[in-house]
Amino acid sequence: MHVLIINGSPRVKKFSNTDKILQVFNEGMMESDNTYEQYEVSNRNQWEKIRNAFDRCDNILIALPLFVECIPGLLLEFLETVTPKSGNATMSFILQSGFAEGVQLRCGEEYLQKLAGLLGCRYGGTLVKGNNFSIRLVEGQERENMTAPYKDMGRIFGQKGNFEDEECRKFTGPEIFPAPVRLLVGLMFKTFAAKSFEKTAKEWGCTRPLKDRPYQAG
Amino acid sequence: MILIVNTTENKEITSRISEELKSKNITFEIMETADKKIGHCIGCNYCWLKTPGICSVKDDYEEILKKLVNSDQLWVISNTALGFIDHKGKNIIDRIIPLATMHLYFKKKQMRHVLRYKKHTDVGFVYIGEADREYLNKWSERVAVNFGSKSLGAFPKEDWKEAAACMY
């Protein structure tokens, strides 16, 4: 199987969480006898190449971050320029987000299911998973721990060519966290996570409070 | 204040809405952005972690953001593509995220970002072209959840009077 992989993140490849996920996913996919070509929509210079590959390939995988409950504006802009296929291709998606619960990604997933049909493709399912915000903020083992589970999913996709396997459905994790977990995580947000965000902000050169209101309401 | 952002070339619709709202003495502002330079959100997270509340993309969107913090409602008028609002309409929504902070909490069992400003702006859409209205309404509800506000709904251009009836 030859797969066209489109990284639909508007963030440049170097800082793209979606790319870090794909690096590991692709390792798993390549354990079977597969080949792939990957492009980034964040690089407009690649758009013509992606359109050509889109016309040519019958197995298309679009990986994307959730942007305000649906697909990012830049990916939408690119997809507005492709010619829909004639129905013989399969289109699957990897949908990832910062929010951790499955329920946060369902509205986006629903659109992707429609999108495959609108682009003239059979829907091959969406691999849905959140809690990925920090991938680019960490390195080494910590990053590996976050991305490693995607290798198994790549392996399954490499064998089946879609995400219709039960294991892919389970990959999302909980739709909503149970009350005790929410309590614990909520406490973490106010303490450890808040400090961690402030530390990152300082490293990035931030000189204002994270809750600053630059455009104060009148 | 009602803020109406028209991302399309269709000025007839904003003219009609304008007449309607004037007749009701409603405070509103229409921004015609079809010819403005408004790019996409690049996902840099600077508005959360480097320049809190300020977008790193320096273009005409900042004008919208400044008005949003004083708006009770935001209406986006958009063309459609692929069953949805087109990328120009989606960019207006994607670029709203400086209104949220990096901090998180749980609300109604789901994680949410702590909002930056006290005023929470309701959102509505008027679309021009073919789209899945049921999905747009569902999506609009979810958009509103993110900004602690309510969805005013998605209306096809033909139903602009229904949309205008929600602008008060």
Side-chain angles (χ1 to χ4, degrees):
Chain A
M1 171 175 73
H2 180 75
V3 187
L4 164 62
I5 298 177
I6 301 172
N7 176 358
S9 172
R11 196 182 283 172
V12 291
K13 185 178 168 90
K14 185 180 174 187
F15 299 119
S16 164
N17 288 336
T18 308
D19 181 65
K20 314 281 178 288
I21 286 167
L22 281 173
Q23 284 175 23
V24 178
F25 178 90
N26 293 347
E27 278 178 34
M29 185 179 75
M30 293 300 284
E31 287 181 11
S32 306
D33 189 20
N34 297 310
T35 56
Y36 73 92
E37 53 193 297
Q38 181 180 324
Y39 303 98
E40 275 66 38
V41 295
S42 61
N43 182 355
R44 285 181 189 266
N45 293 331
Q46 292 188 355
W47 282 22
E48 192 53 42
K49 277 186 190 170
I50 312 177
R51 279 190 286 268
N52 290 337
F54 188 88
D55 292 342
R56 185 167 30 86
C57 296
D58 286 333
N59 206 317
I60 298 162
L61 173 62
I62 303 180
L64 66 147
L66 187 74
F67 264 42
V68 194
E69 303 291 332
C70 201
I71 74 174
L74 183 68
L75 177 59
L76 188 57
E77 184 180 354
F78 168 73
L79 293 174
E80 287 168 15
T81 71
V82 305
T83 306
K85 296 179 74 76
S86 54
N88 296 323
T90 301
M91 181 175 281
S92 311
F93 301 91
I94 295 175
L95 179 63
Q96 61 95 4
S97 76
F99 285 140
E101 317 100 305
V103 69
Q104 306 268 12
L105 298 102
R106 297 304 177 197
C107 184
E109 180 189 24
E110 187 179 333
Y111 179 69
L112 297 177
Q113 189 166 2
K114 295 173 196 296
L115 181 64
L118 291 165
L119 291 172
C121 299
R122 190 183 79 83
Y123 179 58
T126 299
L127 187 68
V128 172
K129 193 176 181 305
N131 204 21
N132 290 315
F133 180 82
S134 302
I135 290 177
R136 75 150 161 163
L137 302 178
V138 296
E139 289 180 346
Q141 191 60 48
E142 212 175 342
R143 180 182 288 175
E144 274 180 41
N145 291 344
M146 294 183 80
T147 57
Y150 280 95
K151 191 167 182 176
D152 286 341
M153 296 300 108
R155 207 171 279 132
I156 293 171
F157 185 84
Q159 289 161 1
K160 303 197 170 178
N162 57 55
F163 291 123
E164 288 162 7
D165 193 278
E166 180 62 12
E167 287 302 309
C168 301
R169 195 191 63 74
K170 286 185 196 165
F171 187 68
T172 306
E175 283 298 297
I176 287 179
F177 289 140
V181 176
R182 292 202 301 274
L183 197 69
L184 195 69
V185 176
L187 187 67
M188 204 182 77
F189 285 155
K190 288 180 183 166
T191 53
F192 172 77
K195 278 188 181 169
S196 170
F197 293 145
E198 278 159 17
K199 182 172 171 274
T200 301
K202 201 173 176 185
E203 286 166 3
W204 285 18
C206 178
T207 56
R208 310 282 300 173
L210 291 186
K211 290 184 180 175
D212 195 28
R213 292 174 177 164
Y215 312 126
Q216 190 53 268
Chain B
M1 206 271 279
I2 314 285
L3 180 63
I4 301 161
V5 178
N6 181 14
T7 65
T8 78
E9 301 280 358
N10 186 327
K11 306 272 172 47
E12 191 188 331
I13 189 155
T14 40
S15 167
R16 285 180 177 182
I17 291 171
S18 174
E19 282 171 28
E20 183 81 5
L21 297 184
K22 276 179 190 166
S23 73
K24 293 179 183 171
N25 285 325
I26 288 168
T27 309
F28 68 98
E29 181 168 345
I30 292 173
M31 296 180 77
E32 299 286 352
T33 64
D35 297 327
K36 297 258 185 187
K37 189 184 169 205
I38 294 178
H40 60 275
C41 172
I42 59 172
C44 65
N45 297 134
Y46 278 20
C47 63
W48 288 347
L49 288 167
K50 187 170 183 178
T51 52
I54 296 174
C55 182
S56 71
V57 179
K58 299 302 174 200
D59 60 11
D60 294 327
Y61 190 82
E62 189 175 27
E63 199 184 342
I64 297 176
L65 211 47
K66 284 177 175 172
K67 291 183 193 301
L68 267 176
V69 302
N70 284 309
S71 299
D72 299 295
Q73 295 186 357
L74 166 67
W75 286 85
V76 178
I77 302 175
S78 176
N79 287 319
T80 60
L82 297 167
F84 193 57
I85 57 171
D86 75 354
H87 72 277
K88 283 189 174 181
K90 183 62 166 50
N91 286 342
I92 300 296
I93 298 300
D94 285 355
R95 297 278 300 275
I96 278 182
I97 66 162
L99 296 188
T101 72
M102 183 68 255
H103 294 289
L104 297 159
Y105 73 116
F106 280 94
K107 185 180 181 184
K108 293 183 181 173
K109 300 183 182 178
Q110 293 182 38
M111 285 182 193
R112 299 266 66 95
H113 285 278
V114 174
L115 296 171
R116 194 173 296 284
Y117 298 96
K118 282 181 185 166
K119 187 179 277 293
H120 298 168
T121 311
D122 296 338
V123 288
F125 299 88
V126 176
Y127 60 91
I128 302 173
E130 293 286 316
D132 181 338
R133 186 175 187 179
E134 191 183 342
Y135 179 77
L136 277 178
N137 272 312
K138 187 183 282 189
W139 174 70
S140 180
E141 293 280 348
R142 287 292 304 179
V143 172
V145 164
N146 280 279
F147 297 97
S149 61
K150 67 175 184 188
S151 166
L152 301 159
F155 301 84
K157 180 188 71 172
E158 297 71 27
D159 295 346
W160 69 269
K161 276 197 170 183
E162 274 184 53
C166 302
M167 298 177 190
Y168 55 86

